[in-house]
Amino acid sequence: MTRLALQYGAINLSQGFPDFAAPTEIKRAAQEAIAAEVNQYAITWGAKSLRNAIAEKFERTQGVAVDPEREITVCCGATEAMMSSMMAIINPGDEVVVFEPFYENYGPDAILSGATPRFVKLRPPAWTFDPGELARAFGPATKAIILNTPNNPTGKVFERTELETIRDLCIRWNAYAITDEIYEHMLYDGARHISFASLEGMRNRTITINALSKTYSVTGWRVGWAIAAPEVTAAIRKVHDFLTVGAAAPLQEAGAAALKFPASYYDTLANEYLVRRDRMLEILTRAGFHCFKPRGAYYIMTDISSFGFPDDMAFAKYLVKEIGVAAVPGSSFYNDPADGRTQLRFTFCKTEKTFQAAAERLAKLKAGSSAAR
Ligand SMILES: Cc1ncc(COP(=O)(O)O)c(C=O)c1O
């Protein structure tokens, strides 16, 4: 969709990258690291300064103490951290449980690592799951469950009781949880992020994935990490070494500085995103979308049934070509594309200028869409 947005000059509300500046301090720290000749390979599993900062922040914010020497692997973004983790633990014949709709990469991650995915539905409007359906997805072949909270694309933030249900199944079937917590600081309406590793019994069964990308608005830097028990980390480090050797050394140093930002940085980040979320909800609702209000992350899932298009792809193409706004078709987030036929995802990590332009274009939609069909 980003490619189509460029082709048709559309406002790009598809891919989740901010169109505003990254914090001055993190950019300065990167510039200083380059000037100070931090330009050669970092230690394969991550610069000590960054691993120490990750461990310190995880304990400070989530109360989970980890050993930066044996339990952290710095990777090229959360993407590589997820892939290296899956390749580290999956053996032929293993199954992984995946909630759907899911962040697009989890499907290919399962295929590349050789795992068979077992999908469990999150159902609107609150994107809750049926505990019975989840229990049926687990079995002797289950190696792990992939969890993403706060969630892309739904904006769901998993509640403690839900996490405990998942935890009990992981313990019963001796399975890992791989939790992607990249949106941990984007929370609205009193939602609280609970790291899965903080749950009793999950400390050594959880692989926690995170990154600089979203929290510090540097998606292009490609710095992320996996936190896991020592024996799992040893395997993740081996895969990581052979896949990428290491993440960008000077950007790791900048990351170490960023992870020490005071609590006020994260409060401001969440407050600013709340304003953006409400602005985007207003724009989409006015244009005729039915919105599922997100409690976390920076996306809005919408129901597009009322526009009367045959499916999400047809509507997304119409939107990008004729209206000039790009969004992601709901089918991208499901194993069976038919399940996302009536859904479309918009991102709101954008400036007011972008919102204004999108609002003007989407205003044409209500009036024009039926004529165009
Ligand atoms: C849930 C989720 N995980 C991971 C990523 C990618 O993270 P990174 O850029 O650090 O590889 C994204 C990006 O959109 C995401 O939404």
Side-chain angles (χ1 to χ4, degrees):
M1 292 311 298
T2 292
R3 204 162 29 77
L4 288 181
L6 288 170
Q7 187 179 337
Y8 293 105
I11 308 290
N12 188 3
L13 302 180
S14 60
Q15 210 178 356
F17 60 86
D19 67 353
F20 43 85
T24 307
E25 299 79 1
I26 195 171
K27 291 187 288 196
R28 191 183 309 123
Q31 287 158 353
E32 283 171 6
I34 291 172
E37 287 304 338
V38 186
N39 294 315
Q40 310 308 327
Y41 299 124
I43 297 171
T44 299
W45 48 83
K48 188 170 167 52
S49 57
L50 178 56
R51 281 182 288 114
N52 286 348
I54 292 166
E56 190 277 324
K57 179 166 179 278
F58 203 34
E59 182 158 19
R60 174 163 42 89
T61 59
Q62 292 294 328
V64 184
V66 295
D67 178 358
E69 292 307 321
R70 298 189 308 145
E71 297 188 300
I72 295 174
T73 311
V74 176
C75 297
C76 297
T79 303
E80 194 237 319
M82 177 63 76
M83 193 69 249
S84 291
S85 299
M86 293 206 34
M87 293 183 93
I89 62 167
I90 299 295
N91 294 314
D94 285 349
E95 294 181 359
V96 290
V97 179
V98 182
F99 285 111
E100 70 172 352
F102 52 82
Y103 168 56
E104 301 100 301
N105 279 27
Y106 301 155
D109 285 347
I111 294 166
L112 287 170
S113 63
T116 304
R118 299 282 306 265
F119 298 100
V120 174
K121 286 270 178 333
L122 296 173
R123 292 196 165 80
W127 305 102
T128 43
F129 61 86
D130 169 5
E133 187 187 341
L134 182 66
R136 286 190 295 280
F138 275 77
T142 308
K143 179 54 72 73
I145 180 167
I146 299 179
L147 186 71
N148 172 217
T149 183
N151 186 261
N152 171 13
T154 65
K156 177 186 175 67
V157 181
F158 282 73
E159 304 279 353
R160 182 173 291 279
T161 48
E162 295 175 312
L163 296 175
E164 286 172 352
T165 302
I166 301 166
R167 185 264 320 268
D168 293 348
L169 287 165
C170 287
I171 291 174
R172 172 160 175 222
W173 293 105
N174 193 26
Y176 292 103
I178 311 179
T179 69
D180 181 339
E181 304 186 0
I182 196 164
Y183 297 104
E184 63 173 330
H185 293 292
M186 285 142 204
L187 299 164
Y188 320 110
D189 306 332
R192 269 199 59 216
H193 171 64
I194 301 169
S195 271
F196 206 44
S198 70
L199 265 71
E200 201 186 331
M202 286 313 295
R203 164 75 175 70
N204 290 332
R205 284 183 185 282
T206 304
I207 304 176
T208 308
I209 308 287
N210 214 321
L212 299 181
S213 311
K214 313 288 179 174
T215 305
Y216 306 101
S217 306
V218 287
T219 58
W221 280 20
R222 319 306 307 130
V223 179
W225 53 89
I227 305 173
E231 61 283 6
V232 181
T233 292
I236 295 173
R237 286 178 174 183
K238 286 193 182 76
V239 177
H240 160 73
D241 190 3
F242 295 119
L243 280 181
T244 65
V245 176
L251 305 185
Q252 292 192 48
E253 292 305 331
L259 266 78
K260 295 188 188 106
F261 284 173
S264 58
Y265 172 81
Y266 305 99
D267 294 342
T268 304
L269 185 81
N271 288 336
E272 289 175 353
Y273 270 112
L274 174 66
V275 172
R276 292 185 190 111
R277 180 201 69 167
D278 289 347
R279 178 79 169 107
M280 198 64 205
L281 281 171
E282 172 209 317
I283 293 169
L284 293 172
T285 307
R286 194 175 299 157
F289 289 88
H290 174 78
C291 297
F292 300 107
K293 194 176 181 179
R295 300 187 74 227
Y298 55 44
Y299 306 95
I300 298 176
M301 264 298 234
T302 64
D303 186 305
I304 54 169
S305 327
S306 65
F307 293 104
F309 276 73
D311 62 26
D312 59 319
M313 285 300 282
F315 187 53
K317 280 185 186 154
Y318 169 77
L319 211 57
V320 74
K321 285 189 198 169
E322 308 297 333
I323 302 292
V325 173
V328 180
S331 52
S332 334
F333 307 108
Y334 290 89
N335 182 45
D336 179 354
D339 291 336
R341 238 186 64 245
T342 59
Q343 294 170 356
L344 202 64
R345 189 202 73 179
F346 292 84
T347 185
F348 56 85
C349 49
K350 302 296 169 187
T351 54
E352 175 52 33
K353 191 164 163 246
T354 306
F355 288 137
Q356 187 59 41
E360 280 163 22
R361 292 178 181 206
L362 288 170
K364 291 183 285 177
L365 179 63
K366 238 178 166 173
S369 57
S370 57
R373 262 174 284 139

